[in-house]
Structures are given as structure tokens and as C-alpha cells.
């Protein structure tokens, strides 16, 4: 067998090592091409992975996460203190009881701190005047560790409160003791 030019100056053991590495890389590429979504397999398998369903809050897709949805979803955290509504336009969450200092909302003379929103304009607290939107607080429970995704927004339930972000990672974490804006 003739040794390729780039390998001629190497010892036999090193030549075998390089050739084995090249073979392993080729096998890895073939395996990835066959197993990754859209990379092969039968049409039936592809159809099975693209079927969507309308999840309910707390629905489990087998890995603790619900599949993404384009519909409105409402849920309550297990504590019953935080409730959220999600849609393709954004997220609105309410918190019944909190111990953090109420945030200032520019131009607002009404109460603040109970309603927070995340939408195309970013994250912010809502002025709780007579025109303030209300969140349904009797939605299904989103168990700790689970998440919901609607459009480009995802909210995750945790023992440390709810964390909601948009596709770019902008969002908030809301809990009884504190809230944080996420980059």
C-alpha cells in the first residue's frame, strides 16, 4: 500500500494513528448525519417529530419540558403566589404577595410591583391603575422544574420563582423576596 505524501515522514505507528483518527471522524460525521433531525431516516420518523400538539401548563414531553406552542397559555406556580399568561405577543405575570420594595414605573401614581410584563418592548413592571391588565390566577399548575414556551417566550417554574425570557435572553426572574431583570 502506498502511503499518502503528508504521512511519509511519520513512523508507521503514527501513520496508523492518523489514519485511524481520519476514519473515526468520517464515522462520526455519518452517525451525526443519520441521527440528527433532518439528517436522514424515514419520512414516517420525520412526520412523527414534526407533529405538534396543544400543551397544557405542566404538560410533560418526557424531559420535563412542554413542546413549544403558538397559543395562549396560563399557569400558576405551585405556591399559588405567582400566575402568568403567555402568548405570541409576550408574557404577563402577577404576584399576589411580595416583600421587595415596589419598583418605580415612570408616570405612574398608582400601585406597582404586582404586575410584570415581557414583550417586544422588553421587560417592565406595569402601573396598576384602573386600566392595568389582569392575570387569571386560577390557571393550571406549572410544576417546579417545568417550562412553557409560546412563540419566542419561555417561562420556567422553580422553587426560586418564575423565570421568563424571550428568544434573545431578555427577561426577568420574579419571586416573593426579589425580582431581577435578565440581560
Amino acid at each position: 500500500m502506498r502511503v499518502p505524501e503528508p504521512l511519509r515522514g511519520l513512523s508507521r505507528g503514527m501513520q496508523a494513528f492518523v489514519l485511524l483518527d481520519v476514519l473515526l471522524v468520517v464515522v462520526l460525521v455519518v452517525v451525526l448525519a443519520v441521527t440528527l433531525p433532518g439528517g436522514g431516516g424515514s419520512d414516517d420518523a420525520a412526520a412523527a417529530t414534526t407533529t405538534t400538539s396543544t400543551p397544557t401548563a405542566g404538560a410533560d414531553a418526557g424531559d420535563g419540558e412542554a413542546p413549544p406552542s403558538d397559543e395562549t397559555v396560563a399557569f400558576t406556580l405551585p405556591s399559588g403566589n405567582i400566575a402568568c399568561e403567555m402568548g405570541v405577543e409576550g408574557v404577563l405575570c402577577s404576584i399576589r404577595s411580595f416583600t421587595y420594595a415596589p419598583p418605580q414605573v415612570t408616570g405612574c401614581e398608582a400601585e406597582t410591583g404586582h404586575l410584570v410584563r415581557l414583550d417586544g418592548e422588553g421587560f417592565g413592571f406595569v402601573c396598576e391603575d384602573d386600566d392595568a391588565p389582569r392575570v387569571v390566577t386560577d390557571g393550571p399548575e406549572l410544576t417546579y422544574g417545568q417550562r412553557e414556551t409560546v412563540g419566542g417566550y419561555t417561562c420556567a417554574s422553580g422553587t426560586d420563582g418564575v423565570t421568563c425570557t424571550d428568544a434573545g435572553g431578555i427577561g426577568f426572574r420574579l419571586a416573593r423576596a426579589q425580582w431581577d431583570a435578565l440581560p
Side-chain angles (χ1 to χ4, degrees), residues 7-158:
L7 299 179
R8 284 199 182 162
L10 301 175
S11 70
R12 267 184 118 30
M14 190 55 97
Q15 289 174 358
F17 179 76
V18 170
L19 291 173
L20 180 61
D21 283 354
V22 169
L23 178 64
L24 288 173
V25 169
V26 169
V27 168
L28 177 64
V29 168
V30 169
V31 168
L32 288 174
V34 170
T35 59
L36 289 178
S42 71
D43 290 339
D44 291 338
T49 60
T50 58
T51 302
T52 59
S53 61
T54 304
T56 57
D60 190 349
D63 61 359
E65 296 182 17
S69 171
D70 289 330
E71 297 185 18
T72 301
V73 173
F75 61 84
T76 304
L77 268 59
S79 68
N81 191 41
I82 298 174
C84 298
E85 290 180 355
M86 303 175 67
V88 295
E89 298 297 319
V91 178
L92 182 66
C93 292
S94 67
I95 184 166
R96 287 184 181 157
S97 171
F98 60 86
T99 58
Y100 51 80
Q104 296 294 318
V105 174
T106 304
C108 179
E109 295 184 25
E111 191 173 355
T112 62
H114 290 279
L115 289 173
V116 63
R117 64 155 179 76
L118 173 64
D119 55 26
E121 296 179 20
F123 154 76
F125 278 87
V126 177
C127 184
E128 299 168 35
D129 58 13
D130 292 336
D131 296 331
R134 298 290 174 222
V135 175
V136 176
T137 57
D138 61 350
E141 184 177 286
L142 185 62
T143 306
Y144 294 138
Q146 290 188 322
R147 63 185 62 229
E148 282 287 350
T149 298
V150 178
Y153 300 95
T154 298
C155 289
S157 171

